[in-house]
Amino acid sequence: AAMSNDSVGILDHWLRPIKDLYLANEEEINSLPEESRVDRLGELNVIQGVNTVSKLPVVHEAWKEGRELYVHGWMLQLHTGLLKDLDISVSGPKQVENIYKLSTSQH
């Protein structure tokens, strides 16, 4: 559904960011064999999720407090039932762009 214009009702709102991700990577995804396209879109979604979560203020606060926190990108492969490690992991603020490291200074 994320790679088409078919409506799935109430889930359309939830699928919109995945459709945006598909459009941003459409050339790469469409160059793959048809049976691999959904898996690749899922992988890209997990990678984007790792990047999004690692930028959250609550995650940065945990790192600032010295807590050990890792954000890993794994994907459940439905056809095998196995987890696939996407080799993306963020373990501290040094791995995040400076603009996302929120300052606590007053303006």
Side-chain angles (χ1 to χ4, degrees):
M3 295 188 291
S4 74
N5 62 352
D6 296 336
S7 176
V8 289
I10 197 166
L11 295 178
D12 288 334
H13 175 74
W14 179 76
L15 286 174
R16 209 236 45 214
I18 301 171
K19 287 179 179 279
D20 292 343
L21 185 62
Y22 169 69
L23 287 174
N25 296 278
E26 187 173 14
E27 188 174 324
E28 174 195 348
I29 292 168
N30 288 341
S31 72
L32 298 171
E34 193 165 339
E35 63 275 5
S36 300
R37 293 177 186 174
V38 171
D39 284 343
R40 183 59 182 151
L41 181 58
E43 290 171 358
L44 292 169
N45 190 43
V46 169
I47 291 166
Q48 182 172 319
V50 167
N51 289 322
T52 298
V53 169
S54 66
K55 295 171 186 168
L56 293 174
V58 68
V59 171
H60 284 262
E61 189 63 33
W63 286 329
K64 190 176 181 182
E65 293 172 359
R67 294 190 206 161
E68 193 171 332
L69 186 142
Y70 298 85
V71 184
H72 298 289
W74 293 357
M75 184 174 144
L76 177 64
Q77 296 177 307
L78 295 178
H79 59 280
T80 65
L82 300 174
L83 284 176
K84 179 179 181 182
D85 185 349
L86 299 180
D87 199 29
I88 181 170
S89 183
V90 180
S91 60
K94 291 181 180 178
Q95 294 175 273
V96 179
E97 296 88 352
N98 282 333
I99 197 164
Y100 298 108
K101 298 174 189 171
L102 302 179
S103 171
T104 56
S105 64
Q106 299 294 323
H107 297 280

